[in-house]
Amino acid sequence: MTQSSATTDPHPALRLDRVERRFHQGETALTILDGADMVLRAGEMVALVAPSGAGKSTLLHIAGLLERPDGGDVVVNGVSCGQMDDAARTQMRRGTIGFVYQFHHLLPEFSALENVMLPQMIRGLSRGMAAERSKELLDYMRLGARASHRPAELSGGEQQRVAIARAVANNPYVLLADEPTGNLDPVTSTYVFDALTALVRQAGVAALIATHNHDLARRMDRAVTLRDGHIVDLVLD
């Protein structure tokens, strides 16, 4: 294993530059990230493989501008975001970063189509344009015939594919996924991962995917892990 580091690429989709994150319990400081560096490029899929409690979720939250680092910087498509105020971070996140979680978090009262439309409309797209793009995405994910169905009427794999379509609806530079197939059976997991891979490659999104599944991790471009607060390259046997 060798430590990942920033490169001379002037505008990678995502760059973490000596990121620090600590949590305090009384007088004790728990260091999660201690000068962590990483670069994600457009169209690249990187597996984040680490045991529970190692800080995977913290890393994803900081990369996704949901948490502010205690030190260092998060740079999205060349824009420094580490010290932005909350309003600016929210605006940046809406337009440049997509999220997929282990549980789909679809809104139960809306159809699959409406769930994919919502983030686009929040960003300011008209209902008609949002519907058109959402139909295209659901067709690409082989869910066109299920567009009018609510989440409760969809299988687990279908729900997760809708969540993936929703995550890329705003054409993000970066896609962050936290165990996106962890709640699925092996066959469905493979099918959903194949759909995710196809969409990442087609859209040219930079994807960081936390997973415990080494078989899926091997299918990505490279794998990293967390060691002593650093992001290091991981060679999977």
Side-chain angles (χ1 to χ4, degrees):
M1 300 181 187
T2 57
Q3 186 169 333
S4 299
S5 60
T7 71
T8 57
D9 186 346
H11 292 298
L14 174 70
R15 178 166 58 87
L16 304 182
D17 185 9
R18 301 192 61 77
V19 168
E20 299 177 6
R21 189 71 170 107
R22 296 176 180 85
F23 295 98
H24 295 273
Q25 297 177 335
E27 296 182 357
T28 303
L30 177 63
T31 299
I32 304 298
L33 299 173
D34 188 19
D37 294 318
M38 186 176 65
V39 166
L40 275 178
R41 297 176 181 81
E44 182 181 35
M45 295 183 71
V46 177
L48 173 59
V49 183
S52 297
K56 295 191 304 295
S57 294
T58 296
L59 175 60
L60 290 174
H61 288 170
I62 289 176
L65 308 183
L66 293 170
E67 292 184 28
R68 185 178 285 107
D70 296 315
D73 198 8
V74 179
V75 182
V76 180
N77 196 39
V79 178
S80 173
C81 305
Q83 300 305 317
M84 282 181 172
D85 62 30
D86 289 343
R89 289 158 63 83
T90 297
Q91 188 68 24
M92 188 72 176
R93 188 168 58 246
R94 283 178 181 169
T96 64
I97 300 171
F99 297 89
V100 182
Y101 299 98
Q102 180 173 348
F103 299 98
H104 56 79
H105 296 303
L106 299 175
L107 298 175
E109 65 272 28
F110 294 106
S111 69
L113 180 68
E114 291 167 335
N115 267 279
V116 181
M117 289 171 59
L118 280 172
Q120 301 173 75
M121 295 175 66
I122 290 171
R123 195 182 177 194
L125 208 62
S126 71
R127 184 178 183 86
M129 293 179 68
E132 181 178 356
R133 173 157 173 77
S134 298
K135 289 175 184 175
E136 291 176 354
L137 284 168
L138 290 176
D139 284 343
Y140 188 85
M141 300 296 282
R142 299 182 182 178
L143 289 169
R146 310 286 279 168
S148 63
H149 289 66
R150 294 186 179 183
E153 301 170 309
L154 303 173
S155 70
E158 288 171 337
Q159 292 169 345
Q160 199 65 325
R161 281 184 283 153
V162 173
I164 292 168
R166 179 184 59 184
V168 300
N170 280 333
N171 292 311
Y173 293 110
V174 179
L175 179 66
L176 302 172
D178 194 356
E179 296 286 350
T181 63
N183 198 40
L184 304 173
D185 65 80
V187 173
T188 306
S189 174
T190 298
Y191 188 85
V192 169
F193 182 78
D194 288 344
L196 173 61
T197 300
L199 197 55
V200 166
R201 302 302 192 199
Q202 189 273 337
V205 183
L208 178 62
I209 302 172
T211 182
H212 284 101
N213 189 323
H214 284 203
D215 290 334
L216 295 183
R218 289 187 191 95
R219 295 177 56 191
M220 300 189 217
D221 297 309
R222 58 190 174 96
V224 298
T225 190
L226 289 165
R227 177 188 291 174
D228 298 327
H230 296 280
I231 301 169
V232 299
D233 294 328
L234 177 63
V235 178
L236 297 170
D237 297 330

